[in-house]
Amino acid sequence: MRQLKRSFQPAITQLHMEWDEKVKAHQTPFKIRPIFSGDRALVFAFLNTTDAASSSSKKGGGNGLQRFKASLVGRLPGGDKVDFPIMVDLKRACWDGKQIQTLAAREMIRDLEKEVSKLYLEALFFLNFKFL
């Protein structure tokens, strides 16, 4: 019944993440499903901030990158662009526990199994370029 109810609701589509230029992020899921009213989106990211942190600390910026901006961007039913800014604080987002890392790794494995991951597409391109 819930699926039938959702089918009549407008959704935010063509969702993707836009990351700060200081951050190299590998997100999972690679393709974000449409969001309906009352839904939530869960996106994990493996971040590589070492380049930004080292260049920031060389310029006297302290101990590197600690906060950055990301945005969830999509399209409304009328075609208008919608942008949800997110401030990521690395001190609060990272800790010694392994629960979130395990969930992110499982989601990335699902992407690889569905053959939609960025890693899968890059490997496929590399193999086609090298061997075909």
Side-chain angles (χ1 to χ4, degrees):
M1 190 66 167
R2 182 178 174 202
Q3 287 180 337
L4 180 62
K5 186 178 176 183
R6 282 177 42 173
S7 68
F8 294 112
Q9 294 179 358
I12 301 174
T13 58
Q14 300 176 11
L15 289 163
H16 64 279
M17 292 294 298
E18 292 181 357
W19 302 95
D20 193 322
E21 66 273 355
K22 301 176 213 159
V23 176
K24 291 182 183 177
H26 181 80
Q27 79 181 39
T28 183
F30 181 62
K31 292 184 179 178
I32 304 171
R33 65 175 180 77
I35 299 176
F36 295 89
S37 177
D39 278 355
R40 65 180 188 267
L42 183 60
V43 178
F44 296 100
F46 292 92
L47 305 175
N48 182 357
T49 61
T50 55
D51 296 336
S54 63
S55 65
S56 173
S57 60
K58 287 178 189 173
K59 296 177 184 174
N63 54 2
L65 183 68
Q66 294 179 7
R67 292 173 54 98
F68 66 90
K69 181 184 173 196
S71 294
L72 178 63
V73 180
R75 296 271 175 202
L76 295 173
D80 295 332
K81 184 178 176 181
V82 63
D83 184 347
F84 300 97
I86 304 161
M87 279 306 292
V88 179
D89 184 349
L90 291 178
K91 283 186 177 181
R92 293 184 64 204
C94 302
W95 67 89
D96 294 334
K98 298 288 185 205
Q99 295 89 357
I100 292 180
Q101 292 90 334
T102 302
L103 290 172
R106 286 182 182 168
E107 187 66 32
M108 186 176 287
I109 290 168
R110 274 191 220 112
D111 267 2
L112 288 168
E113 289 173 343
K114 290 189 271 182
E115 300 178 353
V116 295
S117 169
K118 184 177 180 183
L119 288 174
Y120 177 82
L121 297 174
E122 287 173 354
L124 189 63
F125 177 77
F126 173 76
L127 292 173
N128 282 333
F129 181 74
K130 185 168 182 160
F131 297 108
L132 295 179

